[in-house]
Amino acid sequence: MKWLILVIPTLTIGIWEYVRHEFLLSYISMDLGNLLAPVIVFLVSILFLTQLFALIERNQEELNEARAMQAAMQERERIGRELHDGIAQSLFLLSAQIDRIEKIDRNDTAFQDIKESIHRTNSYVRGAIANLRQPADPGAIPWMHSMNSLIMELKQETDLQFNIEWEIPDAMLSDKEKVELLASIRESLLNIHKHAEASKVDILARATRTGWECHVRDDGKGFSQDKLLKATNHYGIKIMRDRAKHMGWNFDIERFNENTIISIQKENGR
């Protein structure tokens, strides 16, 4: 590209001078030929060099995106490694120590409470590690493959039965929307697994006249709306609500016909 930028003006003026002297000398004067020379060089340069500049800009944008993606992947790997090598292993060792202490005094219920807290924290950490394992670039693997991988992970750990009706066209979701929507669905499924005591989960998604909507419905024990609003430890729901607000989506959670329904909706133009 650099050589073309240097050669095109020189080659253009050389070809013009040859054609002018060989074929046009009897038709145009020397002064007119000299006047036309920079005009022709300028027009040819505009024609070819603008295409080269556009190509250079596209290559630079792709390079910047690749660098940003590499940096993001390295940061995700670093965080995941720290979670695994630091917090997760520390929790495992702490759990083992609690087990040994519990054997000494089986009547002390405090140990059981601590043990359950450790297991819950360990579950949260493993969920975070699982989130980090999802590719930063959703275009790297098919969207529904990501969904199916998520479902398979949960099937290995739970007895939940899943029903998926996904009717949102792939083209309706941007790469960022795929990442954020998948993360919200993952968070809702983890909440169901931890708290709902459900046996069945439906994931329903469809296009609408104004955008699309996605619902995650379970048949678990549900919740009290008043308690949910007053609770301070529902971090999963807060994360989903904040994520939806950041993306400009509507978020709602309700209890209807013995089912808990988490709804995420997007309206065009938002």
Side-chain angles (χ1 to χ4, degrees):
M1 292 183 185
K2 293 178 181 178
W3 279 108
L4 285 174
I5 292 173
L6 294 173
V7 167
I8 285 176
T10 304
L11 189 61
T12 300
I13 195 65
I15 293 175
W16 164 246
E17 290 297 329
Y18 173 78
V19 171
R20 184 174 67 147
H21 286 86
E22 289 293 327
F23 305 104
L24 302 177
L25 199 58
S26 58
Y27 299 100
I28 60 176
S29 65
M30 185 64 68
D31 290 338
L32 180 59
N34 293 337
L35 182 63
L36 289 175
V39 174
I40 292 173
V41 171
F42 175 76
L43 292 176
V44 172
S45 298
I46 288 294
L47 179 63
F48 289 99
L49 294 185
T50 51
Q51 299 298 321
L52 286 175
F53 290 151
L55 181 60
I56 291 173
E57 290 177 357
R58 287 196 298 271
N59 289 342
Q60 186 62 42
E61 289 177 359
E62 292 176 358
L63 181 61
N64 291 337
E65 290 178 0
R67 287 173 176 171
M69 188 63 64
Q70 183 180 19
M73 289 299 296
Q74 290 175 346
E75 182 65 13
R76 289 161 69 95
E77 289 177 2
R78 183 188 67 80
I79 295 173
R81 186 167 55 251
E82 289 180 357
L83 285 172
H84 179 269
D85 295 344
I87 300 176
Q89 291 185 358
S90 298
L91 287 171
F92 175 78
L93 294 175
L94 184 58
S95 179
Q97 293 171 357
I98 291 294
D99 287 339
R100 288 199 298 269
I101 297 174
E102 187 180 19
K103 292 178 181 178
I104 299 174
D105 188 358
R106 295 181 178 274
N107 296 323
D108 193 343
T109 59
F111 291 123
Q112 185 63 29
D113 293 338
I114 295 173
K115 187 176 180 180
E116 290 178 359
S117 297
I118 293 172
H119 287 167
R120 275 199 306 272
T121 305
N122 189 47
S123 179
Y124 284 124
V125 172
R126 291 190 178 278
I129 294 173
N131 276 327
L132 290 170
R133 286 173 178 168
Q134 294 297 319
D137 180 10
I141 59 176
W143 160 245
M144 290 310 297
H145 180 71
S146 299
M147 285 286 299
N148 293 332
S149 297
L150 171 59
I151 298 302
M152 290 303 298
E153 287 178 16
L154 290 172
K155 281 185 175 180
Q156 293 175 359
E157 299 182 5
T158 70
D159 296 326
L160 286 171
Q161 299 297 316
F162 291 91
N163 173 48
I164 303 175
E165 298 179 14
W166 195 272
E167 299 177 0
I168 300 178
D170 190 75
M172 288 191 69
L173 297 169
S174 67
D175 285 349
K176 183 173 178 58
E177 286 177 330
K178 291 176 182 177
V179 170
E180 297 297 332
L181 184 56
L182 181 64
S184 295
I185 294 173
R186 174 184 289 276
E187 190 64 46
S188 63
L189 294 179
L190 290 175
N191 280 341
I192 292 170
H193 167 48
K194 295 170 187 174
H195 308 298
E197 299 178 9
S199 60
K200 183 180 179 182
V201 177
D202 297 312
I203 301 175
L204 312 173
R206 65 184 182 91
T208 65
R209 289 191 306 167
T210 58
W212 53 260
E213 60 183 15
C214 178
H215 307 283
V216 180
R217 181 175 63 199
D218 70 87
D219 61 352
K221 62 183 181 181
F223 56 88
S224 167
Q225 189 70 29
D226 292 337
K227 290 182 178 180
L228 180 64
L229 293 174
K230 296 177 181 178
T232 59
N233 60 345
H234 288 278
Y235 298 113
I237 293 175
K238 182 179 184 302
I239 288 172
M240 287 187 287
R241 197 183 300 278
D242 291 345
R243 180 177 283 116
K245 182 179 180 180
H246 174 73
M247 295 297 295
W249 299 339
N250 298 321
F251 177 86
D252 189 31
I253 178 170
E254 60 179 345
R255 185 74 175 167
F256 182 73
N257 287 344
E258 304 300 322
N259 290 297
T260 301
I261 304 173
I262 293 176
S263 301
I264 302 172
Q265 297 175 317
K266 178 189 176 181
E267 298 178 2
N268 288 332
R270 296 193 61 181

